[in-house]
Amino acid sequence: MTASLTATLAALPAFALIARDADTVEILSGEVVDVELLADIPLTDATGAPREVLAMVPFRQVRERGFACHDDGAPLRCLIVDRHTSVPRAQALAELPAEPIALADAGFDIADDAYADIVRRVIADEIGRGEGANFVIRRDFTAGVDADPRTAALTWFRALLEHERGAYWTFAVVTPDHVAVGASPEAHVSAQGGVVTMNPISGTFRHPAGGATAETLSAFLASTKETEELFMVVDEELKMMSAVCADGGRITGPHLKEMSRLTHTEYVLRGRSRLDPRDILRETMFAPTVTGSPMQNACTVIARHETAPRGYYSGVAALFTPRDEAASTTEEGDDVTHDLDAPILIRTAYLEDGRLRVPVGATLVRHSDPDGEVGETHGKAAGVLGAIGAIPRDTAAEAAAAAVTAGAPDTDAPASAPRSLADDPHIAELLASRNARLAEFWLNPQGDDAEPGPFAARTAVVVDAEDRFTTMLAHQLRHLGLDVAIVPWAEASPATLDAADLVVAGPGPGDPRDPDSPRLRRMREVVRDRLSSGRALLAVCLSHQILAHELGLDLVPLDAPHQGLQKTVDVFGEPASIGFYNTFTARLAPATAIGTAEVAADAASGDVYALRGPGFASVQGHLESILSRDGMRTLERLVSAALA
């Protein structure tokens, strides 16, 4: 470029700046087109030739999956890229504007005390009633901006480029009437040549003044809450991976995501898929790290507790890039026209109609501390707000971070601070130790070359009660040899169920005693009809509770929810380490059977963990969860009992 970078960008009607590595800033420009559906993203021109598209996907697109949301009409905005160039990072830092942008009336739209009250209500009224395992509720930092939007965008992008580290994408997207500038740490989903990757990040360590050290980070890594929070989002993203990948997905990690003010923990999930990248994006809307789980009910809970629409917060920026002709075929032989790279739209500042908005959310779990979650929202906002000058910068921490990035000595950093915390032997040991709790099934490759399972040539229908754990369960059943189909509860016709050798009544949110829910009424019918037919039935979690009630057992709420809890329990004479996601339980006074059913129950509490009898079996835990180290073994035993 002969003109200055700022002058060049000023002449463009719409553009995006993206920094995906330490050396370059990519510049994308072209025409802007708004479309209604993900399938409408125009990946080809009028002649059918592939073209590059950057799509800003708002949260309201969850409507494509039938999920609830406050619909603000935010457009699915596509930048049809006609020019894609790059400049050195140093040039961008030298030429982009650096004068701070003045802000007015700055502060959170929800006061700290009010947000803490929301946290308490979600724990009591949502998690406490079995509506799900975790939920993300947001609040917005807002301010008035009396400056040219483009100048603000370039200034903030430069500030994030200089002061934030560890971001997956640092970006600015400038289109008519809307600006988005951010430093997202999290790749939601990518697809390259048939390989799909997801990157769940959860657990947030807020750096103390002066920066993080191995000592301060160790306490965070030892936290049960932070560890289980990460495991829960990995489970949720494996549900998505199992829906789009034939091999279900394999997890690697955990790793550290080190940023200027925060450190997160993360895993990487990979699998193979033959789907169009737009379909992959639809099936993975949106990340549980910014919504909660199970996903469908999380959207309903968000709509209950957030009073305003999300806009683009927790959506994605999706870059579809045409593949080279020589690389346009996957190993399976399918034509693949585009790769996909889609970070989550978090840690992002939005500017519209003279108002700045920086949305942030905390992941609320059963043992969340309301004040701690308030602090987490401040910590998550601080990276963006500090960079753009809305709050003071932690200059000591930034100096330490810069030295780590550059690999240079840092005389001002704490003496105990390693060049990268992940390289500290004790930190590495703490991270690696987490995998000892996880199921080997999801840690190992899952190719199609395995020996036929013990139930080959048998068919199964899994009835989905609005928890996509069913996708992971179906994947495991296929490894046992079954030919499996998943059917939503509203489409589970008698004919479909009667044709299956095995009906698996799946898990779902809610109170199993609720007489008014159409979903729960239908699940009761599925269990009751299959039980009376004498044909093979396996009931999981919610459906296990329904089956237990049909057999005459009481259903009661637990004293404390077991959402994301790993327990070792006795399952008919064999100990099994299983992950539990339940708020209610079937309970029986100490006994070994009720009628024709054999009962596996806790000797002290009477909580029923499993049932089996003529033509049926059930389990309270999620054998498909990454927390179920003995999941596959126990699943095979229960399927065998049901089919016997």
Side-chain angles (χ1 to χ4, degrees), residues 336-626:
V336 176
T337 61
H338 288 75
D339 287 336
L340 169 67
D341 188 11
I344 303 175
L345 289 171
I346 53 176
R347 317 294 163 81
T348 300
Y350 301 96
L351 181 57
E352 192 170 19
D353 298 327
R355 293 294 294 177
L356 165 72
R357 188 171 68 95
V358 180
V360 289
T363 300
L364 313 183
V365 297
R366 69 181 191 277
H367 33 37
S368 284
D369 169 61
D371 293 333
E373 302 299 357
V374 168
E376 182 165 323
T377 62
H378 281 276
K380 288 179 175 177
V384 174
L385 298 179
I388 69 176
I391 62 173
R393 295 186 179 123
D394 186 342
T395 54
E398 286 187 6
V404 171
T405 302
D410 177 24
T411 56
D412 296 325
S416 59
R419 288 296 160 260
S420 173
L421 290 171
D423 295 334
D424 182 273
H426 180 61
I427 296 299
E429 182 180 352
L430 283 173
L431 284 169
S433 68
R434 290 184 170 189
N435 286 351
R437 297 180 57 186
L438 303 185
E440 289 188 5
F441 181 83
W442 299 108
L443 293 168
N444 294 327
Q446 301 164 32
D448 296 328
D449 55 353
E451 294 294 322
F455 307 113
R458 310 294 286 272
T459 61
V461 169
V462 180
V463 182
D464 189 333
E466 297 185 3
D467 188 338
R468 295 185 85 194
F469 260 128
T470 50
T471 62
M472 295 169 67
L473 186 58
H475 181 64
Q476 289 188 325
L477 290 168
R478 293 184 184 108
H479 270 256
L480 293 176
L482 289 148
D483 182 1
V484 184
I486 301 174
V487 179
W489 65 268
E491 301 172 19
S493 68
T496 298
L497 302 183
D498 288 345
D501 295 322
L502 174 70
V503 166
V504 180
D511 184 340
R513 307 165 300 180
D514 184 351
D516 300 321
S517 164
R519 174 175 55 87
L520 291 170
R521 282 202 301 271
R522 180 59 188 138
M523 293 307 296
R524 283 191 283 268
E525 292 169 357
V526 168
V527 170
R528 185 181 303 123
D529 293 348
R530 192 70 177 188
L531 186 63
S532 64
S533 75
R535 300 188 63 203
L537 168 70
L538 175 64
V540 178
C541 197
L542 174 74
S543 295
H544 157 84
Q545 296 162 9
I546 291 172
L547 172 64
H549 193 256
E550 287 291 320
L551 296 175
L553 297 176
D554 292 332
L555 299 180
V556 298
L558 292 162
D559 293 336
H562 288 172
Q563 297 291 349
L565 180 66
Q566 185 181 59
K567 298 177 66 174
T568 297
V569 301
D570 185 280
V571 180
F572 307 120
E574 187 172 302
S577 178
I578 295 173
F580 287 80
Y581 283 86
N582 63 304
T583 299
F584 296 87
T585 185
R587 188 164 285 167
L588 177 69
T592 57
I594 177 170
T596 60
E598 187 178 357
V599 181
D602 184 88
S605 67
D607 292 352
V608 177
Y609 298 133
L611 296 162
R612 66 181 179 187
F616 66 86
S618 70
V619 64
Q620 176 61 78
H622 284 263
L623 305 180
E624 67 280 9
S625 166
I626 61 167

